[in-house]
Amino acid sequence: MQVKGCVALVTGANRGIGEQFVKALRAAGAKRIYAGARDPASLRVEAADRDAIVPIGIDVTRPADVAAAAARCRDVTLLVNNAGVNFNTPLVGIAALDNARTEIETNYFGTLAMCRAFAPVLKANGGGTIVNMLSILARVNLPLMGSLCASKAAALSMTQGVRAELKAQGTKVIGVMPGAVETRMTEMLPPPKMSPADVAKAALEAVEQGIEDVYPGDMAQGVAAGLAQDPKAVEMQFSAYLPG
């Protein structure tokens, strides 16, 4: 599909990659962009953009918010599931399961809820595209943030399943799996890191080219190549990064 003229909804649009998605969509000529955030007051929209960018309040873990967004945004042709959370915590070396539960609720169930709610909207509008922001850590676990990796792995499997289910209605489902990106979620990781703008650009290029699995940046592409050749070696390499 063409980004120019599309109607997009971006979750987690108030900062990081989500904010850059909104800017990239605007620059590419999207007709309308629904910019979603739990607190719509946190969304910064310039006066010149107010006709095209529409802030909406949406917490993807709240069924009522998801349903309200689907009812309001009936013209969406491109859904960007970017909202996510990362506590940078391990699986066993932490006292409680709270962080892991929240990551699963947001990164997996929240994304799935959005896919389910907007599938009929996209169908009614000719099929459209869903973009799920994942991570290269969906394919290999980094113990420093082990529960985040597990939630992204679940989201990757879900992306594949939704892709298969929605193929008949003409909906393309894209999984975007960058390496480390310069956002608040990865402050504890050393450089090099990709810029959020470059991730958004790569994702929108994939939308236009119909590429289903996207690995923005050298790190993600290198890890993906390593997993194709020797997945156990990659697992062992990542296993060295243990919580302190």
Side-chain angles (χ1 to χ4, degrees):
M1 67 175 288
Q2 293 298 306
V3 174
K4 183 177 181 179
C6 78
V7 177
L9 188 155
V10 181
T11 63
N14 56 324
R15 62 176 179 264
I17 298 172
E19 183 179 31
Q20 294 303 317
F21 261 116
V22 173
K23 291 180 178 180
L25 285 161
R26 177 64 167 147
K31 179 181 178 181
R32 181 174 297 109
I33 306 154
Y34 296 104
R38 284 178 293 182
D39 178 10
S42 67
L43 294 158
R44 300 180 296 274
V45 181
E46 300 294 333
D49 295 329
R50 287 175 186 163
D51 288 341
I53 301 175
V54 182
I56 63 170
I58 179 168
D59 180 339
V60 299
T61 68
R62 291 174 55 88
D65 283 11
V66 173
R72 176 181 178 182
C73 307
R74 303 296 298 176
D75 51 351
V76 165
T77 58
L78 173 61
L79 171 63
V80 180
N81 286 314
N82 171 73
V85 63
N86 178 11
F87 290 106
N88 290 299
T89 48
L91 289 161
V92 177
I94 187 171
L97 282 171
D98 295 355
N99 288 356
R101 290 186 191 280
T102 299
E103 286 165 342
I104 283 287
E105 286 289 341
T106 306
N107 302 338
Y108 172 66
F109 283 118
T111 300
L112 175 57
M114 290 294 293
C115 290
R116 288 168 57 90
F118 277 88
V121 174
L122 294 168
K123 181 179 181 180
N125 294 327
T129 300
I130 297 172
V131 173
N132 288 341
M133 276 306 309
L134 306 172
S135 167
I136 193 61
L137 299 179
R139 298 195 55 198
V140 60
N141 195 282
L142 181 67
L144 278 171
M145 50 185 75
S147 58
L148 175 279
C149 301
S151 72
K152 291 296 187 179
L156 172 57
S157 181
M158 177 269 292
T159 295
Q160 294 168 345
V162 170
R163 179 183 294 149
E165 286 194 59
L166 299 188
K167 182 177 181 180
Q169 71 172 42
T171 300
K172 180 76 72 174
V173 181
I174 295 172
V176 184
M177 291 169 275
V181 183
E182 191 64 64
T183 67
R184 293 198 313 178
M185 288 186 181
T186 60
E187 288 176 343
M188 43 87 74
L189 295 178
K193 303 177 192 178
M194 283 192 75
S195 75
D198 286 342
V199 176
K201 178 183 177 183
L204 294 185
E205 287 175 352
V207 169
E208 296 204 323
Q209 295 168 17
I211 300 171
E212 294 181 342
D213 299 308
V214 191
Y215 298 95
D218 293 340
M219 177 186 174
Q221 291 171 23
V223 173
L227 288 167
Q229 182 177 3
D230 191 344
K232 198 64 182 179
V234 176
E235 179 190 341
M236 293 300 294
Q237 179 184 5
F238 274 65
S239 71
Y241 294 92
L242 295 166

